């Protein structure tokens, strides 16, 4: 009998998690209630920051970060080419211009030298992406941004639970953004957050997620008033109380889940080293890697065609491999609107043709891991 295909990532919801959602569904506050603040406090503690702001998804979190920094028309924000489109889209939402920088070939993380080469008098901020869950080289990035007076944002959607030089992901940039989509470390269905030590940024983002209105429904109810004012153009980017309850319950699992992801990564590391046609990404000794993804680079002739063949063979064998990501500047929208083209970020473009993400998620059991390794050997060993 064919086995169920193994996805590359998947949520884990316990009965207790479900219980905490049901409790809120039976309560008075489905949204803008007490669970939002409770989740924000718990999340800030994990991120190692004074503040966390909960929002409706990771893309909204990025948009909030751009708004907090006051990014607008004429402003340039440097983003890596190797990321999900939302990292660049948030700059465009604010009328700014995303400028694509290249990544390092060994770990596909934003290259501080490439960042430096992209800086112009219009540059306002840099968004670093902790690709695959590996925190970027924040010391080197900080040197560049501080010298040039730029803000540093971390798109840490892959990396909650990780750390860099002993400091938790979430506390490594001026603002760090997170996603709670089901494939990420913890889920609220859809959801996101921004962590920061800056209380003014946090306050601006809480207004922004609530239509630009300074008080929320519960605050007005408590004060017995109907009066409110809209002070800026905001959005409805709120996260509901039952989602925050799920987030709170999920956070309790985080440490154990990251440990399990690391354990699976160790198994892949040791079992795949024998394969000459495949190399895992380099991991720095300075980080605790959160392993949202386990990415390998194929060393095959004919790169993209060969990768697509390997991809198809894994899929045929029921292993749900993925490709993360098509470099963002190659998408038609960016080519048309910002005149980007192949050749802009050659390292990311070459890597894109050779990368493959293997399944990694805490609910995988040892047999699942073995299955991936067996198929990898069958697929990648020359006949
Ligand atoms: C998932 C993800 C996002 C977007 O998060 P959503 O919650 O899906 O909006 C942004 N950036 C990166 C790097 C991501 O992986």
């Amino acid at each position: 009998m064919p086995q169920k295909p193994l996805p590359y990532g998947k949520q884990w919801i316990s009965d207790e998690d479900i219980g905490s959602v049901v409790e809120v569904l039976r309560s008075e506050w489905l949204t803008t209630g007490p669970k939002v603040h409770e989740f924000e406090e718990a999340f800030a503690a994990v991120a190692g920051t004074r503040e966390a702001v909960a929002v409706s998804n990771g893309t909204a979190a990025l948009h909030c970060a751009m708004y907090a920094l006051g990014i607008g028309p004429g402003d340039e924000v440097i983003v890596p080419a190797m990321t999900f489109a939302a990292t660049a889209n948030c700059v465009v939402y604010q009328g700014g211009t995303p400028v694509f920088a290249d990544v390092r070939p060994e770990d596909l993380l934003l290259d501080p030298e490439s960042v430096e080469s992209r800086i112009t008098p219009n540059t306002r901020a840099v968004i670093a992406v902790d690709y695959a869950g590996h925190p970027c080289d924040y010391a080197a990035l900080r040197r560049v941004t501080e010298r040039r007076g730029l803000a540093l944002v971390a798109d840490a959607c892959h990396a909650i639970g990780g750390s860099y030089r002993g400091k938790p992901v979430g506390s490594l940039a001026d603002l760090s953004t997170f996603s709670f989509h089901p494939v990420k470390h913890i889920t609220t269905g859809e959801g996101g957050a921004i962590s920061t030590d800056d209380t003014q940024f946090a306050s601006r983002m809480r207004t922004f997620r609530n239509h630009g209105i300074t008080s929320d429904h519960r605050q007005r109810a408590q004060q017995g008033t109907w009066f409110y004012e809209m002070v800026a153009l905001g959005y409805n980017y709120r996260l509901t109380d039952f989602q925050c309850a799920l987030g709170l319950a999920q956070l309790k699992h985080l440490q154990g889940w990251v440990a399990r992801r690391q354990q699976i990564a160790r198994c892949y590391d040791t079992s795949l080293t024998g394969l000459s046609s495949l190399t895992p990404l380099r991991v720095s000794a300075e980080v605790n890697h959160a392993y949202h993804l386990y990415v390998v680079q194929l060393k095959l002739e004919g790169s993209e065609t060969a990768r697509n063949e390997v991809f198809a063979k894994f899929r045929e064998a029921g292993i749900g491999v993925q490709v993360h990501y098509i470099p963002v500047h190659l998408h038609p929208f960016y080519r048309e609107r910002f005149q980007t083209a192949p050749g802009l970020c050659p390292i990311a473009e070459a890597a894109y043709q050779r990368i493959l993400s293997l399944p990694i998620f805490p609910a995988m059991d040892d047999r699942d891991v073995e299955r991936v390794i067996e198929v990898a050997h069958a697929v990648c060993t020359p006949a």
Side-chain angles (χ1 to χ4, degrees):
M1 226 183 58
Q3 286 171 287
K4 226 174 109 204
L6 199 61
Y8 85 89
K10 193 181 156 190
Q11 74 275 16
W12 182 339
I13 310 275
S14 72
D15 288 345
E16 276 139 350
D17 297 353
I18 292 168
S20 59
V21 174
V22 169
E23 199 179 302
V24 173
L25 288 174
R26 294 203 166 107
S27 79
E28 185 143 351
W29 293 98
L30 295 191
T31 190
T32 68
K35 284 292 168 194
V36 179
H37 180 66
E38 222 183 295
F39 179 52
E40 289 182 339
E41 295 260 289
F43 194 82
V46 171
T49 50
R50 209 178 306 171
E51 297 271 3
V53 178
V55 293
S56 48
N57 55 66
T59 305
L62 284 159
H63 190 183
C64 285
M66 292 300 101
Y67 173 78
L69 294 174
I71 299 302
D75 293 336
E76 295 175 359
V77 177
I78 298 173
V79 302
M82 183 54 77
T83 184
F84 183 56
T87 314
N89 294 351
C90 68
V91 182
V92 185
Y93 295 157
Q94 285 297 102
T97 302
V99 173
F100 296 95
D102 215 341
V103 293
R104 309 189 295 201
E106 313 80 13
D107 53 20
L108 308 187
L109 296 172
L110 182 58
D111 182 350
E113 279 180 33
S114 179
V115 169
E116 187 121 48
S117 76
R118 301 304 204 243
I119 294 174
T120 76
N122 298 325
T123 309
R124 295 280 315 278
V126 174
I127 308 180
V129 175
D130 297 333
Y131 179 76
H134 189 306
C136 288
D137 188 350
Y138 283 98
L141 289 170
R142 268 281 180 221
R143 274 196 295 278
V144 176
T145 56
E146 271 174 13
R147 192 160 0 108
R148 304 293 195 119
L150 309 176
L152 181 57
V153 175
D155 179 344
C157 287
H158 294 182
I160 185 65
S163 65
Y164 170 82
R165 296 188 179 173
K167 288 184 69 187
V169 164
S171 68
L172 302 167
D174 301 319
L175 295 144
S176 301
T177 66
F178 298 90
S179 164
F180 310 130
H181 183 276
V183 296
K184 306 291 164 66
H185 287 74
I186 62 162
T187 190
T188 60
E190 298 277 0
I194 312 95
S195 62
T196 182
D197 277 325
D198 189 314
T199 50
Q200 263 177 328
F201 282 165
S203 155
R204 274 171 70 79
M205 293 188 291
R206 289 200 176 96
T207 301
F208 190 66
R209 75 165 170 202
N210 188 40
H211 310 278
I213 294 169
T214 44
S215 62
D216 69 27
H217 180 68
R218 191 163 65 112
Q219 285 164 341
R220 289 194 294 278
Q222 278 167 351
Q223 290 157 13
T225 179
W226 55 266
F227 182 79
Y228 65 82
E229 278 183 308
M230 186 190 131
V231 298
L233 182 64
Y235 291 78
N236 180 351
Y237 280 164
R238 295 185 303 253
L239 192 62
T240 66
D241 275 58
F242 51 95
Q243 288 176 295
C244 288
L246 181 55
L248 273 163
Q250 290 263 301
L251 266 184
K252 298 196 178 108
H253 304 288
L254 179 65
Q255 232 187 349
W257 284 348
V258 170
R260 176 61 183 154
R261 285 174 179 275
Q262 291 172 339
Q263 202 175 43
I264 294 167
R266 290 294 82 75
C267 288
Y268 287 160
D269 286 345
T270 51
S271 319
L272 301 177
T273 42
L275 294 170
S276 58
S277 59
L278 174 165
T279 14
L281 298 182
R282 187 182 65 184
V283 180
S284 159
E286 295 189 315
V287 307
N288 191 29
H289 194 321
Y291 283 108
H292 165 55
L293 303 172
Y294 189 92
V295 177
V296 296
Q297 301 203 70
L298 301 171
K299 290 186 284 185
L300 299 170
E301 295 305 319
S303 49
E304 193 170 357
T305 317
R307 190 271 314 279
N308 293 347
E309 276 168 20
V310 170
F311 179 95
K313 284 184 191 161
F314 268 107
R315 286 290 181 95
E316 273 162 35
I319 307 296
V321 289
Q322 269 295 354
V323 174
H324 298 97
Y325 295 95
I326 298 171
V328 181
H329 66 286
L330 299 183
H331 285 298
F333 170 80
Y334 282 99
R335 292 193 195 207
E336 281 157 31
R337 174 87 77 98
F338 296 98
Q339 280 77 53
T340 56
L344 185 63
C345 298
I347 309 282
E349 290 163 29
Y352 159 62
Q353 305 194 331
R354 309 195 296 126
I355 46 177
L356 212 52
S357 306
L358 303 183
I360 188 164
F361 54 94
M364 277 177 86
D365 62 23
D366 291 345
R367 279 215 315 271
D368 295 327
V369 178
E370 273 308 310
R371 218 171 113 205
V372 176
I373 291 166
E374 273 167 34
V375 174
H377 278 265
V379 166
C380 296
T381 308

